[in-house]
Amino acid sequence: MNGPGHPRRSSSGVFATVLALAAGVLSASAATAPPVAALTPPVGFTADSLSTYQTNGIVWALAEANGVVYAGGTFANVRPAGSPAGSGTTPAVNFAAFNAATGAPTGCSLSFTRSSGTATVRAFALSPDKSTLYAGGYFSAVNGTAANGLVAINTATCTLRSGFAPNFSATVRALDVAANGTIYAGGDFQTVNGQPRRFFGAVTAAGTVTGWNPDADEPGRTLKVTPDGQNVLIGGDFFTVGGADSHALAVTSAASGALTRAYTGSFIPSTAVIKDIITDTASDGWYVAGEGTGGGSFDGRLAMRLGTFDQRWRDTCQGATQALRVYQGVLYAGSHVHDCSTMGGFPNQVRKHLTAQSVDDPAMLGWLPDTNDGIGEPVGPRALTVASRDGRDFLWVGGEFTTVNGVAQQSLTRFANTPDTGAPAAPAVSVSAPRAGEVRVSWRSALDLDDSLLTYRVYRDGGSVPVYTAQGSSLFFSRPQLTFTDTDVVAGRTYTYRVTASDGTNTSALSAAASVTAATSASPYAARVLADGADLYWRYDEAGGQFASDASDSDDGGVYMNTPTYRSTPSAVAGSAALSLNGTDEYVYSDRLHHYTSPTPYSIETWFRTGTTSGGRIVGYGNNIGTAQGHTSSISDKIVYMTNDGRLAFGVQVGSTNSRPTLTTTASYNDNAWHHVVATQGPSGMRLYVDGVAVGSNTTAGNRSYNGYWRVGGDAMPTTWPNRPTSTYFAGQVDETAVYPTALTAAQAAAHHDLAGTPSGPGDTTVTLTPNEDAYVNSVAANTNYNDNQLASRGTTAYLSYLRFTVPAAPAGQVLKSARLTFRTSSDSTAGSSENHTVVPVTGAWTESAVTYNTRPSLSSTVLGTISGAASVSTDYSVELNASALGGALGSAYSLALTNSGTDSLRIWSSEVSTAAYRPQLVLTFGAE
């Protein structure tokens, strides 16, 4: 238990934990971690949405020039943040301009209209000097002036540039401007100024059609001129460019539109289109946003190389990416991502709409503000732009959404690079006393929407100074367990722990208090499970909440879903509680993504009790964690389940075939009694043990290899499983679930079963004593008796404290092995002391009601122990005492004194303090001779 992941309280190191997304593994390092500072690099924007005006429709396009952000779309007015629809509106017909730093309108007002049909603005692009904003879409007039799909706006005066009047036959959806002033466009049009230009075309700054003609066969949705000006990257719905195959993506000559690079075959699946392309010279890259239909399509992002136009990496998450921007080496995306299982990330779950990843790595970063899907199709965000003003940078987001971070806000929002004001959520904490001399404090990593790396501080018994500090990384779909083992505990004494999470700037509230009584010895059952190598061990002793702690050193915590019934009794194993499941939707899943490669050996073990006649999955492995439609496992095997008639079955799926070898008992076990089941698979095949006895075996060594999660209580089960139960969720109790990376032997299975009813052994005897009397004296008030709620020690001017205990005789057959004085510094601002204070025997007579400095008792010269480092106020400390010197005092009243020869006083709570946990205690441990 004292490995790198479980350092003792006395350790001075801070242990950094890192989330390895690809493997889904939490690792630990013994290196001292640097202080965490918001934000977690390389994330550059906070997740705190800023007050921003909103529209009454959809924002399709955003652009920034000189600290002004322009929004185009399909809307009629804008209103302040917090105003409900129809309240406080200002007319703004499909176009609005905002101060980038305040989010308020600038006064630039242009109306984009049509005489028939619904007008809309779909694309913006700026001239290289940002003096001109080009706006494209579906409109026939701007402020009453005739216009057909594309206009030029003077950004200084917010007026149309006269003489620029190109005519696009249909909607313009994409724009970019080259360094030479050429305006490139893509969309639904098939002519420009009457000349054939299928879906892509270009005009000069004067509005004259150029020779650029990619001649695509389907609409264009995005385009970008390469930084060198030699090529134009185009994306859309098309399958051919210039008659040559190149679906959805192509590189074309900036002069002619001829293909520079085609992307053929299934580079972009036929079911996908490309919605956005951006370039970033700092990373020598261009980045592509995909939107597809169906599980095998392309919905994610591509990172491409500018020099060669080759792919650098591909993000295969599903969720229709709409918009991209790069800021300080991070690629920000607007989408409705809902499934990143092919990336080693989260399985199909609720949609997330704003994400970030490094330009060098597709793994998701810890930046996850969110919107909803909103109106329209709906897909959420549709446009992104980065703006700078008043010394700060801002990420603006436009789209169809109607909420941001759970608060009503329509179509527009923004985030800044500073400051970060959002605090992490409070951690969920579980405590246990697995063996004598230890308390195990485990917690589920907290969630912070813009900081994945957090610092955790553990506080004991209400103290203001943490007893342990650690770092850990988490994302919304993987919140690993962290653990602190407190070895400075006394058997029989109750301890309370609370934990905070900090991003370096903001700190969460304290977690709910979790209390446990330190044990005198270990549970024989639990000790054997751990000794036999369990790397997931859920004991189900939590009193509530979502966090199921793992008792193994693997920190493989679980998540309780849909509020099962906690701490059910009677339990299967002495000293532990059980968990009750309703058979409908309650279950537990592992918070960590696992990977099993056939034929790796493993064992599944659990206790169960039920009277069900509809069966259910008891323990199994699957590729999803949810219960909603589409969120249960589409792949599952390594399952222990019950049939409708109460028989037990253990089955696996062989590869991706329909073969599901299954062992099934002849006896039924739905008799409302506790039963123990162990299922193993290894090189010699599958084995099933019930109540310590082998009940079935075969020679099947293989199963299915995939990423997944352990689940207890239920999941999907295809009808191909033999004797598939009516219910795939288990109604009954479970206890002591464990998973092993080995195949347990018959002897181990039997031993575990036989140990269940064995209580903890007597072990050492620990006696905790509170003073019968205690007081202190003060040389400045030499005739005053100080019998209050504090004790004190100082050399000059002198304070001395006295404590009297009634010390018992040693239990039969045992001797005094150790002694410890525990105490808590008071809340007085001078309570802590950096000096040494000694504990010595009192040889003279005294009483707490009469002792003064002038009547103080004589002291022995023998030093029983030395208090050092008790420098903090309101903090627990202890000092080891010389057990041999105390041995002669057994069976008598015995007095100790606190003394000092320096000038720095130590103040501690006395036995008169109202909080029992703060009182000094003499802890004696007796053991065999």
Side-chain angles (χ1 to χ4, degrees):
M1 295 290 288
N2 276 327
H6 299 80
R8 293 190 184 275
R9 180 179 165 193
S10 59
S11 172
S12 61
V14 177
F15 289 74
T17 54
V18 179
L19 180 66
L21 288 179
V25 174
L26 180 71
S27 61
S29 169
T32 301
V36 174
L39 309 160
T40 300
V43 169
F45 292 110
T46 78
D48 310 318
S49 58
L50 301 176
S51 178
T52 308
Y53 263 65
Q54 50 191 324
T55 79
N56 70 332
I58 299 171
V59 171
W60 294 100
L62 292 171
E64 182 270 347
N66 310 311
V68 175
V69 171
Y70 300 93
T74 312
F75 51 85
N77 57 60
V78 297
R79 65 186 189 276
S83 294
S87 174
T89 61
T90 300
V93 183
N94 301 317
F95 177 90
F98 303 92
N99 182 306
T102 67
T106 64
C108 173
S109 179
L110 297 171
S111 295
F112 287 71
T113 58
R114 284 191 64 82
S115 57
S116 63
T118 302
T120 185
V121 174
R122 290 301 182 102
F124 286 139
L126 285 154
S127 61
D129 63 359
K130 295 193 174 184
S131 65
T132 303
L133 173 70
Y134 294 96
Y138 184 61
F139 48 83
S140 58
V142 179
N143 280 8
T145 300
N148 283 296
L150 180 64
V151 294
I153 303 165
N154 185 310
T155 57
T157 62
C158 190
T159 58
L160 295 185
R161 195 177 77 204
S162 61
F164 182 80
N167 186 344
F168 286 78
S169 63
T171 306
V172 173
R173 298 181 180 273
L175 291 171
D176 198 21
V177 183
N180 65 6
T182 301
I183 303 102
Y184 294 87
D188 299 342
F189 54 86
Q190 301 216 25
T191 64
V192 180
N193 292 353
Q195 298 185 43
R197 290 292 186 272
R198 291 201 303 170
F199 308 116
F200 290 98
V203 297
T204 66
T208 303
V209 178
T210 75
W212 186 70
N213 184 15
D215 191 30
D217 65 333
E218 294 288 347
R221 295 178 180 263
T222 182
L223 55 82
K224 191 70 177 175
V225 180
T226 57
D228 62 8
Q230 298 301 303
N231 293 283
V232 180
L233 314 167
I234 65 172
D237 300 6
F238 52 83
F239 287 86
T240 64
V241 175
D245 290 342
S246 191
H247 173 52
L249 187 66
V251 183
T252 67
S253 164
S256 66
L259 270 173
T260 302
R261 172 71 178 269
Y263 295 94
T264 58
S266 59
F267 187 82
I268 302 297
S270 61
T271 52
V273 299
I274 298 303
K275 301 300 290 289
D276 198 14
I277 298 172
I278 62 169
T279 59
D280 176 51
T281 54
S283 61
D284 187 36
W286 53 292
Y287 302 89
V288 178
E291 177 186 293
T293 57
S297 193
F298 173 59
D299 262 356
R301 272 77 68 191
L302 292 176
M304 310 291 287
R305 200 173 303 280
L306 278 170
T308 63
F309 305 120
D310 293 330
Q311 176 181 304
R312 290 192 293 122
W313 53 256
R314 180 181 292 244
D315 175 332
T316 56
C317 294
Q318 294 182 9
T321 308
Q322 303 296 308
L324 302 171
R325 278 297 180 273
V326 171
Y327 175 78
Q328 295 183 353
V330 173
L331 179 66
Y332 294 88
S335 69
H336 57 251
V337 59
H338 58 91
D339 186 351
C340 287
S341 56
T342 57
M343 295 278 292
F346 58 94
N348 189 30
Q349 292 296 302
V350 295
R351 294 178 170 188
K352 301 292 181 181
H353 298 84
L354 293 168
T355 58
Q357 56 207 143
S358 166
V359 294
D360 298 319
D361 187 343
M364 185 176 290
L365 297 174
W367 184 78
L368 283 161
D370 203 11
T371 72
N372 64 353
D373 287 347
I375 59 178
E377 289 189 28
V379 297
R382 289 286 192 175
L384 303 174
T385 198
V386 174
S388 299
R389 185 159 183 163
D390 298 343
R392 288 202 294 168
D393 297 335
F394 303 88
L395 178 68
W396 279 69
V397 182
E400 300 173 320
F401 51 86
T402 57
T403 67
V404 178
N405 289 344
V407 177
Q409 173 73 19
Q410 185 169 359
S411 73
L412 280 172
T413 191
R414 62 200 174 98
F415 306 92
N417 59 337
T418 60
D420 179 13
T421 60
V429 178
S430 177
V431 294
S432 62
R435 54 177 62 89
E438 290 186 3
V439 166
R440 182 182 171 92
V441 185
S442 298
W443 62 95
R444 188 185 187 203
S445 301
L447 183 62
D448 188 322
L449 296 181
D450 48 29
D451 292 280
S452 55
L453 181 63
L454 301 175
T455 294
Y456 297 91
R457 296 179 175 89
V458 181
Y459 299 87
R460 190 174 81 167
D461 292 339
S464 59
V465 177
V467 296
Y468 178 68
T469 301
Q471 288 184 1
S473 290
S474 61
L475 294 173
F476 80 92
F477 61 89
S478 184
R479 295 169 58 186
Q481 173 178 313
L482 284 82
T483 296
F484 157 56
T485 301
D486 190 351
T487 58
D488 190 8
V489 297
V490 177
R493 181 170 172 178
T494 299
Y495 297 89
T496 299
Y497 298 86
R498 304 182 80 175
V499 182
T500 63
S502 173
D503 61 15
T505 300
N506 311 287
T507 300
S508 74
L510 285 163
S511 67
S515 299
V516 66
T517 300
T520 59
S521 60
S523 159
Y525 181 89
R528 183 60 185 268
V529 168
L530 294 172
D532 284 342
D535 59 5
L536 180 156
Y537 184 19
W538 297 339
R539 305 203 69 195
Y540 308 121
D541 288 339
E542 285 76 24
Q546 279 198 298
F547 174 49
S549 64
D550 175 22
S552 84
D553 286 348
S554 297
D555 278 341
D556 201 351
V559 180
Y560 293 116
M561 293 298 295
N562 300 316
T563 318
T565 302
Y566 305 93
R567 300 195 65 79
S568 296
T569 56
S571 62
V573 172
S576 177
L579 184 74
S580 287
L581 302 167
N582 64 4
T584 303
D585 61 358
E586 295 172 354
Y587 63 102
V588 191
Y589 71 85
S590 58
D591 216 357
R592 177 186 302 169
L593 183 67
H594 300 77
H595 180 76
Y596 278 87
T597 302
S598 178
T600 302
Y602 63 92
S603 298
I604 303 167
E605 177 179 36
T606 197
W607 289 80
F608 68 91
R609 183 167 73 111
T610 184
T612 183
T613 56
S614 56
R617 279 179 55 140
I618 303 174
V619 184
Y621 186 70
N623 69 340
N624 212 325
I625 59 177
T627 54
Q629 180 70 28
H631 296 172
T632 54
S633 294
S634 59
I635 303 172
S636 60
D637 77 334
K638 310 174 196 45
I639 302 173
V640 175
Y641 61 99
M642 178 169 278
T643 65
N644 286 353
D645 57 4
R647 292 180 297 151
L648 284 177
F650 166 44
V652 300
Q653 182 180 9
V654 178
S656 58
T657 70
N658 285 327
S659 176
R660 287 176 169 80
T662 302
L663 304 174
T664 306
T665 65
T666 57
S668 294
Y669 298 94
N670 55 345
D671 56 1
N672 285 311
W674 280 108
H675 294 285
H676 176 245
V677 58
V678 174
T680 74
Q681 189 177 25
S684 62
M686 300 167 61
R687 301 287 185 272
L688 181 62
Y689 305 89
V690 180
D691 294 337
V693 177
V695 295
S697 65
N698 63 28
T699 59
T700 302
N703 50 68
R704 186 158 186 178
S705 303
Y706 61 101
N707 293 331
Y709 306 83
W710 287 106
R711 291 178 54 138
V712 175
D715 197 2
M717 286 185 70
T719 56
T720 46
W721 284 100
N723 300 300
R724 180 185 182 274
T726 301
S727 173
T728 59
Y729 285 80
F730 179 72
Q733 289 80 48
V734 290
D735 199 5
E736 308 291 323
T737 301
V739 177
Y740 302 78
T742 59
L744 294 180
T745 66
Q748 288 173 312
H752 290 198
H753 173 262
D754 294 344
L755 282 170
T758 305
S760 300
D764 291 344
T765 301
T766 300
V767 177
T768 302
L769 308 173
T770 300
N772 305 113
E773 295 183 272
D774 54 11
Y776 78 97
V777 297
N778 180 357
S779 63
V780 174
N783 293 314
T784 302
N785 169 251
Y786 291 91
N787 178 22
D788 55 27
N789 65 0
Q790 291 193 50
L791 301 174
S793 170
R794 186 172 65 192
T796 306
T797 54
Y799 295 151
L800 295 95
S801 291
Y802 310 103
L803 306 91
R804 178 177 287 116
F805 300 90
T806 299
V807 180
Q814 294 187 327
V815 296
L816 183 64
K817 296 174 63 178
S818 65
R820 179 193 304 169
L821 179 67
T822 68
F823 59 91
R824 183 182 182 86
T825 52
S826 75
S827 57
D828 190 287
S829 61
T830 63
S833 174
S834 59
E835 296 178 352
N836 291 341
H837 297 254
T838 58
V839 182
V840 301
V842 177
T843 57
W846 67 281
T847 62
E848 69 174 7
S849 60
V851 67
T852 67
Y853 186 79
N854 283 339
T855 64
R856 67 189 185 278
S858 57
L859 306 178
S860 169
S861 61
T862 301
V863 176
L864 298 174
T866 301
I867 299 169
S868 61
S872 299
V873 303
S874 300
T875 302
D876 291 316
Y877 292 101
S878 67
V879 54
E880 295 293 331
L881 304 180
N882 187 324
S884 298
L886 280 172
L890 297 180
S892 67
Y894 190 70
S895 295
L896 304 174
L898 304 184
T899 70
N900 171 256
S901 59
T903 58
D904 190 11
S905 63
L906 173 70
R907 293 182 177 272
I908 69 173
W909 296 116
S910 75
S911 61
E912 277 76 29
V913 70
S914 58
T915 303
Y918 294 176
R919 297 168 187 166
Q921 293 181 329
L922 179 62
V923 182
L924 306 177
T925 301
F926 300 91
E929 298 185 43

